[in-house]
Amino acid sequence: MAEGEKEKKSSSSNNEESVKLFVGQVPKHMTEDELLAMFKEFALVDEVNIIKDKITRASRGCCFLLCPSRQEADKAVNACHNKKTLPGASSPLQVKYADGELERLEHKLFVGMLPKNVSEAELSDLFSKYGIIKDLQILRGSQQTSKGCAFLKYETKEQAHAALEDINGKHKMEGSSVPLVVKWADTEKERQARRAQKAQSQAMPNTDSQHPSLFGALPMGYAPPYNGYGYQAPGAYELVPYRLRGGIRPDLSLNISPRNYAPASYMGSAYPTMPGLQYPIVYPGAIMSHRPLSSSPGALSPTVPSCNSATSSAASGSSGGQVEGPPGANLFIYHIPQEFGDQELANTFQAFGQVLSAKVFVDKATGVSKCFGFVSYDSPAAAQNAITMMNGCQLGGKKLKVQLKKDNKQSKPY
DNA sequence: TCATATT
């Protein structure tokens, strides 16, 4: 019944004119009213919506602003982005257009299947029938050669829509046997997802996609364009997102837990079948803190998943917000091997105590690891133990650097 | 090289 109140009260929020901004670095304790009051000093703001955890309903440290116009939104961005640090935040406010807003506002179209010799002027002739063109560019390569596609912005959405409907799949340029493709340009988010996917497939060329759990580790699957036509380079996006390749290889991503690795004698024979692995993975401290590995090959038995609570809680920790441990129990780790994800990091460090969370940072655009991350334990003793055992430990090409995480907001000045 | 989060 309380749910019933979730009616859309503000018709203003559906206004085409209104602009949504995303705001980061918002202290979790701030209320929507407080934020509204603050932002109103700089621009007209109709609404503030704090982004909350789906389950706990706790603030996730960011919010959306609804501004009545682009002009007002720009005022808020210019006045606040990177300019103010709210009490309790560690870095300045991040204020930017919410995902997809810019694209929505710009009425940007993608045009594909252009003959390479078509000029801007010719394109302009064709598209100006539908409205005022604000921007038009043919994508070109190094020698100024056309890539056979273009981006185009109209003054209004209606104009863009009219052009899309009229030309997409219907209009053939002179001398071309295939019709043009016209679609709404991808949003920044879609582009990032695509880039990440590409980077992933290059970074892990031997991905064994038969392992179902691997899917969860990869970026969202590629969603085909709504119009079903190709985009830029047809074939660049197969409908099967990950190429299936032959070749057997132990699952790199999940079973790298110390106890799954046998003594070096085994490693030798393992390498040739693991082209993705360029170097030995050794867990110096890890091995000793578990019961001694049996020297029999049985140690390799896949009777794994002592799916211990450490691992599973780490997984849940990394899937939601970051769980932080008590003071002194959180580690910063640098020089993590490139191919390590959250899970591998957790596995590597679980030998020293109860891992609350483990996070490897990745480049937002490419999905590539930045080779640093965090591990949180439930006790400072575990963290110290991990530092002693793992700091300076050669893992991959480099030596791990394991330190206590620097903690900005710990002081309680009374 | 120290938590960037999109209802």
Side-chain angles (χ1 to χ4, degrees):
Chain A
M1 43 190 85
E3 296 296 310
E5 293 180 20
K6 292 201 83 174
E7 294 301 313
K8 43 184 131 182
K9 47 199 167 198
S10 52
S11 54
S12 67
S13 53
N14 293 331
N15 192 334
E16 286 265 323
E17 297 287 286
S18 71
V19 175
K20 186 170 14 176
L21 297 178
F22 174 83
V23 182
Q25 296 303 323
V26 175
K28 296 196 204 307
H29 58 77
M30 285 188 78
T31 66
E32 291 178 345
D33 286 342
E34 287 169 338
L35 289 162
L36 184 62
M38 191 203 70
F39 282 109
K40 276 193 164 168
E41 291 183 31
F42 307 103
L44 294 175
V45 179
D46 293 327
E47 236 176 275
V48 174
N49 297 113
I50 288 177
I51 299 167
K52 307 187 185 85
D53 184 278
K54 281 187 190 63
I55 296 149
T56 69
R57 308 299 295 162
S59 166
R60 300 197 61 172
C62 49
C63 70
F64 288 117
L65 296 188
L66 216 56
C67 295
S69 70
R70 195 154 172 189
Q71 189 184 21
E72 293 302 320
D74 288 338
K75 275 159 68 177
V77 172
N78 291 331
C80 302
H81 179 64
N82 270 142
K83 299 251 167 71
K84 302 170 61 69
T85 301
L86 265 22
S90 54
S91 45
L93 279 175
Q94 299 300 107
V95 186
K96 36 204 199 189
Y97 283 77
D99 282 350
E101 276 307 85
L102 210 47
E103 293 85 355
R104 180 179 72 79
L105 260 18
E106 286 186 319
H107 321 298
K108 190 174 182 180
L109 295 178
F110 168 82
V111 183
M113 297 283 111
L114 282 178
K116 308 276 192 211
N117 58 358
V118 165
S119 69
E120 265 85 356
E122 291 169 277
L123 249 200
S124 177
D125 276 351
L126 172 61
F127 280 88
S128 57
K129 278 189 285 193
Y130 304 94
I132 311 286
I133 296 174
K134 288 183 63 182
D135 190 47
L136 184 161
Q137 60 180 135
I138 292 175
L139 273 58
R140 297 184 186 281
S142 51
Q143 321 298 335
Q144 297 309 305
T145 65
S146 167
K147 289 191 172 172
C149 58
F151 287 109
L152 178 66
K153 291 177 196 168
Y154 278 105
E155 208 171 43
T156 71
K157 184 180 176 182
E158 288 67 32
Q159 294 166 358
H161 194 253
L164 190 156
E165 290 287 305
D166 216 32
I167 296 179
N168 180 38
K170 298 176 187 161
H171 187 277
K172 291 180 185 168
M173 299 295 280
E174 195 177 297
S176 172
S177 59
V178 291
L180 293 181
V181 167
V182 182
K183 64 190 267 316
W184 296 106
D186 279 354
T187 65
E188 181 61 26
K189 202 177 188 179
E190 289 165 327
R191 287 165 54 203
Q192 285 182 356
R194 183 166 302 131
R195 256 182 292 164
Q197 190 175 304
K198 193 194 243 176
Q200 284 285 355
S201 65
Q202 283 166 1
M204 319 196 300
N206 291 303
T207 293
D208 178 359
S209 37
Q210 291 176 1
H211 198 306
S213 54
L214 204 53
F215 275 97
L218 291 165
M220 72 184 84
Y222 169 63
Y226 77 101
N227 64 9
Y229 281 86
Y231 180 87
Q232 301 188 220
Y237 325 120
E238 299 293 281
L239 290 180
V240 178
Y242 314 110
R243 199 157 346 162
L244 294 156
R245 300 203 185 181
I248 311 152
R249 147 180 179 275
D251 180 4
L252 225 198
S253 71
L254 291 176
N255 288 332
I256 308 186
S257 127
R259 71 180 62 181
N260 288 335
Y261 276 78
S265 59
Y266 166 71
M267 305 289 278
S269 63
Y271 281 136
T273 65
M274 302 172 67
L277 264 188
Q278 318 238 325
Y279 46 78
I281 294 184
V282 185
Y283 298 85
I287 290 173
M288 48 177 294
S289 56
H290 280 286
R291 62 181 114 88
L293 291 168
S294 96
S295 55
S296 75
L300 289 175
S301 75
T303 55
V304 219
S306 45
C307 212
N308 45 42
S309 53
T311 305
S312 48
S313 69
S316 69
S318 54
S319 69
Q322 294 83 347
V323 181
E324 208 168 319
N330 303 291
L331 298 177
F332 171 73
I333 296 140
Y334 196 57
H335 291 159
I336 296 169
Q338 183 90 53
E339 66 273 26
F340 272 37
D342 296 352
Q343 191 65 57
E344 290 79 16
L345 186 62
N347 287 343
T348 307
F349 280 83
Q350 73 186 19
F352 313 106
Q354 174 78 43
V355 172
L356 265 29
S357 69
K359 177 126 207 99
V360 173
F361 273 70
V362 296
D363 183 280
K364 234 195 318 182
T366 65
V368 172
S369 164
K370 291 190 165 168
C371 299
F372 75 89
F374 300 91
V375 169
S376 293
Y377 286 106
D378 66 346
S379 76
Q384 285 303 334
N385 192 15
I387 291 174
T388 305
M389 299 308 294
M390 296 299 281
N391 186 39
C393 157
Q394 177 102 12
L395 198 56
K398 304 219 172 126
K399 290 181 177 173
L400 278 190
K401 183 176 287 194
V402 183
Q403 318 171 309
L404 283 180
K405 174 174 116 57
K406 89 162 65 154
D407 202 355
N408 276 336
K409 62 162 309 177
Q410 206 52 51
S411 64
K412 287 189 177 180
Y414 277 36

